Amino acid sequence: MTTMPKTVGRSPYARPLQYLALLAYMCFLAFPLLFLLTTAFKTPRELQSPDAGLLPQQLNLDNFTAAIDKANLYTAAGNSLLVAVTTTLIVTAVALPAAYALVRFRTRMRAVATGWILLSQVFPFILIIIPLFLLLKDIGLVNTLLGLVLVYAVWSLPFSLWMLQGYVAAIPVELEEASAVDGAGRLKTLWKVVLPLLAPGLVATSLFTFINSWNEFFFALVLIQDPDMQTLPLALARFVGAEGQVQLGQLAAAALLACIPSLVFFLLIQKRLTAGLLSGAVKG
Amino acid sequence: MTAALEAAAPRRKRRRGTDGRDAWLLVLPALLPVMLFSVYPLVYGVLLGFTDAEAGLNAETHFNGLDNYVELAGNGLFWESFRIGLVWAFSVTILQFLASLGLALLLNLDLRLRWLARTLALIPWAMPPVIIAIMWQLMLNPGYGPVNRMLDAVGLPSDVNWLGEASIALPVVIIVGVWAGMPQTTVTLLAGLQSVPAELNEAAAIDGASTWRRFWHVTLPALRPIVIAITTLDLIWNFNSFALVFVLTAGGPGGTTMLPSLFAYNEAFRYGNFGYAAAMGNVMVILIGAFLLFYLRGQMRRRLQ
């Protein structure tokens, strides 16, 4: 039985074809980013010349300095960072107890929460953004980062809850019960037993929230008009309109700088990401 | 069922009274902002669809019943945009599913460089939609973009204005949409593939089933719940997507890529017709909701048989 003929019916071309297909996928997925990377280092003259190769002749950083200057990237990056960090802290602080309660106390709340999580995915943003715009205008929060944080926090909650529920459900109740039998109070159990086990999931969920806020465009487009308050995606979108079509190298440099945080985070959490989504989908 | 549960766990029964209060206390911090900034706007938004609300300080708002919908029914531009939205959402979802399934199957094999491919497969996910749009604008640039240069190198017509030509803009935008959304679908399908018990495939192999037959009769049926979940989500996300196309083409050329979300955005924030735009949102929700109900019920029935 152990020498099962696994390769029965498999043609000798299967392996090479599989590698070829994998290579094609890798080119399709990676080439655009590679191209963005090389474009960012090219001089305007190189960009115009029809027979320049893919790689730049030298590492020329002019595009980066010019882009940072013109697109006001420092201010925008600062705003984006502030909004994303604050949103992440709020969402994590609010979602953690809620997720725990929803999983451990099986009340009717859980059905309602799941329903709301799904509903919030279906509704087109146009239905939400008009009332939000009016509401934030009434309380004077249009054109402020605080208004943006509130909106992001609320609209990141469903997904965070969804992911965190999966992680909480993966912790065996018996561990908590054992700790309770040993005489630990509820808070102590949460702090000493649940939180350490939850830490990896918590990190993945918060990074996810951070990236979502960092990348968000639509709400920011409607809620922020003041150039000093704009976030990075907004600044870039306006830069495209203003002079991006002429200054290709600068546009590429600006775009590249803006996605560095998300690229780094995704590389860091890629393993957790797959695991977290899986447990969220199966046990949530 | 509750009785059985309580009988089985008498220890928990004792705590039930305080548990309910604890649960509310833990959920309350989440509940308050959600009510104020998500449930309230949603209800408000749905209601706005039945008013003549306009942007501006002095505009008075009145309920006008179904007037918006009567007007909308005769608005050819909106229905054209709705049609474009459906073409976009279905094409992207289906192509994305097929491409991601292929990639997930490859990544599930024991191939060399798999780790690299897995990392690369996540790249589009790590990029903001605005940047993906900018990047593809550069890629597809008629004069400088590498797509035209590659075509030139193999002797094909190389002066194509990919995003500026009304006849091809939508298919091109769809391909960018597929690129942007592949990671989520691939990761989900890969996770699903890894949860298919290997014994099933081995048993089928012993019975002499070919690779293709094993895939069709063993792997795919086991994957079905995940396939339904991810295609449903993809469809909703794609139908509601905004940033990518907004930056890529802004709905042009000549409105050929005007997704309904862009159309409604223009109506609300360029022309200031809040009530009318909200009515568009309501129509979108109802039609998409009806379709989802239909699709999911059909799938449920198939599963029960």
Side-chain angles (χ1 to χ4, degrees):
Chain A
M1 259 316 168
T2 44
T3 53
M4 198 188 63
K6 268 192 176 175
T7 46
V8 143
R10 182 173 283 170
S11 86
Y13 303 113
R15 262 294 126 108
L17 280 177
Q18 284 164 357
Y19 274 108
L20 204 66
L22 193 67
L23 191 71
Y25 270 115
M26 281 160 75
C27 288
F28 178 60
L29 289 165
F31 182 76
L33 187 64
L34 184 69
F35 167 72
L36 191 69
L37 191 67
T38 56
T39 305
F41 289 103
K42 286 182 179 171
T43 59
R45 203 149 51 102
E46 255 181 290
L47 286 171
Q48 293 307 326
S49 103
D51 43 31
L54 176 65
L55 294 177
Q57 280 153 5
Q58 62 203 41
L59 283 185
N60 148 46
L61 294 176
D62 294 353
N63 287 330
F64 289 91
T65 46
I68 287 172
D69 221 31
K70 278 192 199 159
N72 211 355
L73 284 194
Y74 278 135
T75 318
N79 289 340
S80 275
L81 194 68
L82 189 65
V83 169
V85 168
T86 322
T87 304
T88 308
L89 289 177
I90 294 178
V91 168
T92 311
V94 168
L96 185 59
Y100 181 81
L102 288 177
V103 173
R104 284 292 187 255
F105 312 104
R106 297 182 173 266
T107 55
R108 224 172 294 147
M109 263 187 308
R110 193 167 188 206
V112 176
T114 313
W116 168 68
I117 289 171
L118 292 176
L119 199 70
S120 69
Q121 300 289 310
V122 182
F123 267 78
F125 279 143
I126 191 72
L127 270 187
I128 297 140
I129 193 67
I130 300 173
L132 265 180
F133 177 75
L134 295 173
L135 176 72
L136 289 175
K137 209 167 155 189
D138 282 346
I139 53 180
L141 289 181
V142 163
N143 256 331
T144 64
L145 297 180
L146 179 63
L148 213 52
V149 166
L150 283 175
V151 172
Y152 285 2
V154 170
W155 289 98
S156 308
L157 253 177
F159 197 75
S160 301
L161 262 179
W162 181 255
M163 272 181 87
L164 275 176
Q165 273 191 51
Y167 290 115
V168 172
I171 300 176
V173 197
E174 290 75 28
L175 282 178
E176 288 174 51
E177 286 173 350
S179 158
V181 169
D182 289 346
R186 154 113 354 124
L187 269 179
K188 197 173 176 198
T189 307
L190 284 180
W191 187 252
K192 294 269 180 195
V193 179
V194 179
L195 207 57
L197 287 172
L198 212 54
L202 202 57
V203 170
T205 313
S206 359
L207 284 178
F208 223 81
T209 311
F210 179 91
I211 295 299
N212 275 344
S213 318
W214 180 269
N215 292 352
E216 206 283 334
F217 178 68
F218 183 56
F219 285 136
L221 176 71
V222 173
L223 297 177
I224 305 287
Q225 271 101 42
D226 185 346
D228 288 334
M229 294 292 151
Q230 63 189 0
T231 56
L232 216 42
L234 265 189
L236 283 167
R238 295 206 170 128
F239 188 57
V240 182
E243 41 192 326
Q245 297 307 343
V246 197
Q247 302 288 353
L248 296 173
Q250 294 177 16
L251 185 61
L256 203 62
L257 288 175
C259 61
I260 284 175
S262 11
L263 281 174
V264 169
F265 280 135
F266 263 73
L267 289 182
L268 287 179
I269 65 161
Q270 55 154 322
K271 282 240 171 68
R272 295 241 168 276
L273 196 68
T274 24
L277 274 183
L278 183 58
S279 65
V282 175
K283 285 164 191 146
Chain B
M1 203 195 105
T2 334
L5 246 168
E6 282 174 14
R11 201 175 13 155
R12 265 185 230 160
K13 190 183 167 189
R14 191 160 33 87
R15 283 187 358 206
R16 181 149 290 221
T18 49
D19 271 7
R21 211 175 324 130
D22 281 0
W24 277 107
L25 246 131
L26 289 172
V27 177
L28 207 62
L31 208 59
L32 283 178
V34 162
M35 290 304 274
L36 185 59
F37 288 101
S38 113
V39 177
Y40 168 72
L42 263 183
V43 175
Y44 191 172
V46 171
L47 288 179
L48 264 180
F50 297 91
T51 68
D52 59 358
E54 280 179 23
L57 288 175
N58 308 319
E60 262 189 64
T61 303
H62 310 278
F63 276 101
N64 61 359
L66 295 176
D67 285 6
N68 287 335
Y69 303 90
V70 174
E71 199 183 332
L72 207 53
N75 188 342
L77 284 177
F78 173 71
W79 293 108
E80 173 59 12
S81 135
F82 201 86
R83 188 192 65 81
I84 293 169
L86 289 181
V87 171
W88 150 269
F90 278 96
S91 313
V92 173
T93 305
I94 293 169
L95 293 174
Q96 201 164 278
F97 169 70
L98 293 175
S100 302
L101 184 63
L103 181 57
L105 285 169
L106 285 172
L107 291 180
N108 199 33
L109 291 172
D110 196 18
L111 297 178
R112 249 172 254 177
L113 287 179
R114 193 169 60 159
W115 62 271
L116 181 64
R118 277 192 187 186
T119 312
L120 291 180
L122 286 177
I123 285 179
W125 204 351
M127 299 178 75
V130 170
I131 300 204
I132 293 178
I134 291 174
M135 187 177 72
W136 280 93
Q137 273 184 342
L138 295 173
M139 288 280 294
L140 297 166
N141 185 300
Y144 161 71
V147 174
N148 271 347
R149 290 218 176 161
M150 278 184 236
L151 288 178
D152 189 40
V154 292
L156 288 166
S158 59
D159 54 351
V160 189
N161 189 358
W162 296 101
L163 295 169
E165 197 90 51
S167 55
I168 53 167
L170 186 58
V172 170
V173 169
I174 285 172
I175 292 175
V176 179
V178 172
W179 188 89
M182 261 183 71
Q184 287 97 318
T185 317
T186 307
V187 164
T188 315
L189 289 175
L190 182 60
L193 281 176
Q194 287 171 345
S195 65
V196 176
E199 296 83 36
L200 276 182
N201 260 314
E202 282 165 15
I206 291 173
D207 289 345
S210 67
T211 313
W212 170 249
R213 284 177 63 93
R214 286 206 307 265
F215 171 70
W216 192 253
H217 291 289
V218 179
T219 311
L220 213 51
L223 217 54
R224 166 159 278 156
I226 290 183
V227 169
I228 294 167
I230 192 66
T231 46
T232 310
L233 276 177
D234 276 343
L235 194 72
I236 299 170
W237 286 335
N238 288 328
F239 190 75
N240 288 338
S241 81
F242 177 86
L244 186 69
V245 181
F246 181 80
V247 178
L248 209 50
T249 62
T256 45
T257 58
M258 186 67 81
L259 302 185
S261 55
L262 270 73
F263 193 88
Y265 167 82
N266 284 341
E267 194 65 45
F269 294 100
R270 274 178 70 179
Y271 310 125
N273 299 322
F274 285 170
Y276 196 40
M280 291 174 188
N282 283 340
V283 170
M284 283 158 68
V285 168
I286 288 173
L287 292 179
I288 285 299
F291 169 78
L292 286 177
L293 210 67
F294 202 66
Y295 175 65
L296 291 177
R297 254 182 54 188
Q299 292 295 346
M300 286 290 203
R301 212 167 283 159
R302 262 182 94 164
R303 224 168 131 190
L304 288 176
Q305 271 168 11

